[in-house]
Amino acid sequence: MRPAIDYTKLVDGTKYDASNTIFVDAAGKTTIDLTTGNFRYRVFQGINTYGGVWKTKLVDGNVLKNMYSNTGNPFTAESNPAPADFAAINASGVQLRNVTASSWDAASAEVIRKKIEARSCIACYYKCLWKCCCYKGNAGYIANNGGSKYLLDAKGLEIGQLIQKGLIGAFDLDYIGNVLLNKGLEADNKTLVSGKNYTKLEQNWDEAYGSLTLNPIYLAGSTDAVRGTTESFIGSYIWEYNKTNYAKIFPAFLKGRAAAVNNDATELKAQALFIRTQMEYAIANAAWNYLKKWKDNSLTDAGAAAHALGEGLGFVYSLRFATVHKADAKFSDDILNALINTDGGAWDLTPAKVTTAQDAIKAKFGL
């Protein structure tokens, strides 16, 4: 549809946004549109931000559910403080619910979505207990040695972390990786989307990038010690837990976008597979390391250990969507059940159980 792009033109400093003059049509108009992906990112931000105000006000579980499905104009300046962002998100109709676990069959995906909604309501109930100390069998807060508080359920689980890290799997790993950068590569690339100047394939690739980051150059200026851009969700954990390949993610997105223009299916699939593989590795490594943090703190800082465990368990749950590495729900659930499927839940956890879980993750993902 357009002249081929020379891959060598994708040099350092090339931006992935509408200012890019490489990805344009014959009239010189950009064919890049990150709007939908960026809206999904903002929806996730809103859920995360609103869910974190529990220390100053009561959090409403119905509002969180409405944010998840983007119904009833749930986003406000409190959840999305950038000017006019919240109004645009409300008007967009873009949501996370309908893309959660969307590579799965409809019935199985709905189970995941309802679990997230149920956990949102449960988490809000526990936020009412932030002045009550938790102990085995009783929900409430636990503080780390620095005084920061975390809310746990009666089994010692930080439900808020299970929601957030679970969505990193069910949205980031599954929708970006298993849908847009897998099934989505089969989309039409010969005709323009009605009323637009890009194909459906090009838009799928743009949505994947827009769902990863709000920045025109992902991780620009980053070193192993310092993250150069503001990133959230999987975009942050790729940098933190995949030091070997985080710098190669942005070039892969650029080259894949050029491959879509070139109708170069081989290159397109190669770049998509690389991105998916590295995302999965990062989440597996995060799971391993947060479990390690539980072990490191279990005897000296109960609050830090509980918080690390919540994050670790959420990442273990996300591994059910790591299809490149052939992980699945059974792999994820077997680890979770061995860790916390007792009457006491996290209160019964031992270093030996955690080591067994770490070994299983390490073997599956080659950590």
Side-chain angles (χ1 to χ4, degrees):
M1 293 184 63
R2 287 180 272 280
I5 292 175
D6 182 351
Y7 294 125
T8 63
K9 289 185 176 181
L10 306 175
V11 297
D12 287 347
T14 301
K15 293 182 178 180
Y16 196 143
D17 65 7
S19 71
N20 184 306
T21 58
I22 298 173
F23 302 118
V24 295
D25 63 12
K29 295 181 180 179
T30 183
T31 62
I32 292 176
D33 185 354
L34 305 175
T35 305
T36 300
N38 282 173
F39 273 141
R40 293 204 199 279
Y41 185 104
R42 290 290 196 189
V43 168
F44 202 167
Q45 274 190 323
I47 292 170
N48 192 53
T49 301
Y50 178 69
V53 302
W54 59 271
K55 293 180 182 178
T56 58
K57 63 174 291 184
L58 183 66
V59 176
D60 188 334
N62 288 322
V63 171
L64 278 176
K65 286 178 65 176
N66 288 344
M67 285 181 166
Y68 183 47
S69 61
N70 197 1
T71 54
N73 297 318
F75 297 96
T76 66
E78 179 180 56
S79 61
N80 297 80
D85 261 2
F86 66 92
I89 297 168
N90 287 332
S92 73
V94 174
Q95 57 175 283
L96 291 192
R97 192 184 197 282
N98 65 351
V99 297
T100 296
S102 52
S103 75
W104 291 17
D105 66 85
S108 298
E110 187 63 16
V111 170
I112 299 290
R113 294 164 188 172
K114 287 183 176 178
K115 178 178 288 188
I116 291 171
E117 290 174 329
R119 281 179 170 172
S120 296
C121 290
I122 292 170
C124 287
Y125 167 72
Y126 289 130
K127 293 179 193 302
C128 298
L129 304 176
W130 73 277
K131 292 185 178 181
C132 304
C133 277
C134 67
Y135 52 87
K136 187 173 182 177
N138 191 74
Y141 81 85
I142 190 169
N144 67 14
N145 291 348
S148 296
K149 291 182 177 180
Y150 309 103
L151 289 173
L152 310 182
D153 69 5
K155 288 195 170 187
L157 305 177
E158 190 178 358
I159 303 299
Q161 287 300 321
L162 298 184
I163 295 169
Q164 186 197 84
K165 301 312 186 287
L167 267 174
I168 286 177
F171 167 56
D172 288 332
L173 278 189
D174 193 60
Y175 186 60
I176 296 175
N178 297 333
V179 177
L180 295 173
L181 298 185
N182 187 24
K183 296 178 182 179
L185 303 186
E186 300 170 4
D188 177 70
N189 199 35
K190 297 180 180 179
T191 57
L192 298 180
V193 174
S194 178
K196 305 294 182 180
N197 56 340
Y198 47 73
T199 67
K200 179 59 177 172
L201 176 62
E202 290 173 320
Q203 175 53 200
N204 284 350
W205 199 266
D206 288 350
E207 186 176 348
Y209 183 74
S211 296
L212 170 71
T213 181
L214 300 178
N215 292 298
I217 301 179
Y218 172 59
L219 295 179
S222 295
T223 66
D224 287 1
V226 178
R227 195 181 67 217
T229 54
T230 299
E231 307 291 347
S232 297
F233 316 120
I234 200 168
S236 175
Y237 290 105
I238 288 172
W239 171 80
E240 189 171 0
Y241 289 106
N242 193 342
K243 295 299 187 184
T244 301
N245 288 311
Y246 71 81
K248 300 174 185 176
I249 298 295
F250 182 70
F253 265 107
L254 278 183
K255 194 168 187 180
R257 187 59 167 78
V261 173
N262 295 346
N263 210 31
D264 183 351
T266 299
E267 192 63 54
L268 183 73
K269 291 177 181 177
Q271 298 305 322
L273 181 60
F274 175 79
I275 295 166
R276 294 174 64 206
T277 301
Q278 301 313 316
M279 289 197 303
E280 292 183 8
Y281 180 93
I283 296 308
N285 200 26
W288 191 96
N289 274 280
Y290 276 102
L291 291 176
K292 180 180 183 297
K293 289 177 183 180
W294 177 88
K295 287 197 299 187
D296 292 344
N297 288 285
S298 60
L299 296 179
T300 58
D301 191 334
H307 182 56
L309 181 65
E311 297 199 65
L313 294 175
F315 283 127
V316 171
Y317 181 85
S318 289
L319 296 181
R320 69 193 60 232
F321 301 104
T323 58
V324 173
H325 288 87
K326 302 190 185 312
D328 55 18
K330 184 180 185 306
F331 174 79
S332 173
D333 287 339
D334 283 350
I335 294 175
L336 291 172
N337 288 334
L339 288 171
I340 57 172
N341 192 21
T342 64
D343 290 340
W347 301 107
D348 297 335
L349 195 57
T350 66
K353 289 181 180 180
V354 171
T355 297
T356 299
Q358 288 179 293
D359 289 346
I361 295 168
K362 182 177 182 179
K364 173 66 79 173
F365 291 88
L367 302 181

